[in-house]
């Protein structure tokens, strides 16, 4: 269980998250939804300790991590796949994946057993530079790098954005498998309501830096989507 209690988060003087209180169930996918600019990405960065300042409490299974630096949070079992992927273009696929191992609690840097099963293309091209991959292949690489940290909780920021249509469904299925088969807790920032409803067990709707609705995914009504996501 990952919980936030009265979390405020800041970039410099900019106050982005306001008194966010939320629970993310273990072994579940929770979709975080809302219009652009409502604080969804900042929520994930706050969980990783990547904003300038935060107040409030963040706990994993009751252990407070809100005051811990990013590397300690990573070693507590959180991995982050950012929007835009942020792979290192001059590193090979192998090198990009192994970078994730720096966050492992046991210090091992290995390619996870899941990677050959989920991403055969990556395993067949380990010496290719990350910068020559397509957007979809780079997203696969970013997820593989996160898995190298051996996480319990995976944070995904719009993982199918800007990806060619033939790979979108593949990425979606991989996210579902990571939860259903690998037992990973997934917090998924997503704009595609159909995918959120298909994959997630719960949701949190954000508006102006606040969670204004949350609960089981069955409660994500068309009216709620229209009021808080329609442009």
């Amino acid at each position: 269980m990952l919980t936030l209690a009265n979390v405020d988060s800041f970039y410099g003087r900019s106050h982005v998250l306001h008194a966010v209180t939320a629970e993310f169930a273990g072994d579940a996918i929770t979709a975080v939804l809302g219009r652009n600019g409502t604080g969804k990405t900042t929520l994930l960065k706050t969980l990783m300790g990547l904003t300038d300042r935060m107040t409030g409490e963040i706990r994993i299974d009751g252990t407070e991590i809100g005051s811990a630096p990013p590397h300690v949070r990573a070693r507590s079992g959180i991995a982050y796949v950012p929007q835009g992927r942020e792979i290192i273009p001059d590193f090979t696929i192998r090198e990009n994946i192994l970078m994730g191992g720096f966050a492992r609690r046991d210090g091992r840097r290995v390619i996870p057993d899941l990677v050959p099963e989920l991403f055969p293309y990556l395993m067949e091209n380990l010496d290719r530079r990350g910068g020559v991959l397509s957007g979809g292949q780079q997203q696969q690489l970013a997820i593989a790098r996160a898995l190298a940290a051996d996480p319990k909780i995976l944070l995904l920021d719009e993982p199918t954005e800007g990806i060619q249509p033939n790979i979108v469904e593949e990425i979606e299925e991989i996210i579902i498998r990571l939860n259903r088969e690998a037992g990973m807790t997934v917090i998924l920032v997503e704009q595609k309501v159909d995918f959120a409803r298909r994959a997630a067990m719960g949701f949190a709707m954000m508006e102006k830096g606040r969670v204004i609705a949350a609960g089981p995914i069955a409660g994500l009504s068309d009216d709620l989507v229209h009021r808080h996501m329609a442009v």
Side-chain angles (χ1 to χ4, degrees):
M1 177 74 75
L2 174 65
T3 61
L4 295 85
N6 295 312
V7 169
D8 288 62
S9 195
F10 304 80
Y11 297 116
R13 295 183 179 180
S14 181
H15 189 176
V16 182
L17 296 187
H18 301 267
V20 171
T21 295
E23 293 186 353
F24 298 97
D27 300 334
I29 297 176
T30 302
V32 179
L33 305 113
R35 296 184 181 93
N36 290 333
T38 59
K40 302 185 301 298
T41 292
T42 298
L43 174 64
L44 299 190
K45 288 187 174 182
T46 300
L47 291 172
M48 288 303 303
L50 299 176
T51 61
D52 293 337
R53 181 167 64 92
M54 66 148 280
T55 60
E57 293 186 351
I58 301 174
R59 294 181 178 272
I60 297 179
D61 295 333
T63 300
E64 215 285 319
I65 64 164
S67 59
H71 72 276
V72 173
R73 299 188 196 203
R75 287 179 180 168
S76 72
I78 308 177
Y80 177 39
V81 180
Q83 191 175 27
R85 300 172 279 277
E86 296 183 12
I87 60 102
I88 298 179
D90 290 335
F91 279 21
T92 65
I93 289 173
R94 186 196 316 274
E95 291 167 335
N96 269 283
I97 295 173
L98 293 179
M99 279 191 64
F102 284 98
R104 283 182 67 107
R105 292 176 293 282
D106 60 9
R108 297 176 66 220
R109 291 198 292 277
V110 296
I111 295 176
D113 293 339
L114 275 171
V115 170
E117 180 182 352
L118 297 176
F119 307 116
Y121 175 84
L122 299 183
M123 294 302 296
E124 294 163 5
N125 295 274
L126 286 172
D127 294 320
R128 293 197 76 189
R129 300 288 177 186
V132 305
L133 303 180
S134 69
Q137 291 162 349
Q138 288 187 7
Q139 186 65 69
Q140 293 177 352
L141 179 55
I143 294 172
R145 178 183 60 193
L147 295 179
D150 191 27
K152 298 181 293 185
I153 301 169
L154 185 62
L155 313 179
L156 296 167
D157 195 351
E158 299 200 31
T160 62
E161 181 186 41
I163 292 177
Q164 53 269 43
N166 62 314
I167 297 186
V168 167
E169 186 174 342
E170 181 181 340
I171 295 290
E172 291 177 349
E173 290 304 320
I174 285 167
I175 293 167
I176 292 171
R177 288 184 64 187
L178 287 172
N179 170 250
R180 308 295 200 269
E181 298 177 19
M184 205 167 292
T185 300
V186 177
I187 301 176
L188 171 69
V189 167
E190 186 54 66
Q191 293 286 357
K192 297 178 180 177
V193 175
D194 288 346
F195 175 46
R197 285 173 168 157
R198 179 164 64 91
M201 295 79 163
F203 79 97
M205 182 70 73
M206 296 193 68
E207 184 76 50
K208 297 181 180 178
R210 304 176 188 273
V211 174
I212 51 86
I217 197 66
L220 182 62
S221 66
D222 290 343
D223 178 65
L224 195 62
V225 169
H226 179 74
R227 284 190 285 121
H228 297 288
M229 295 188 71
V231 177

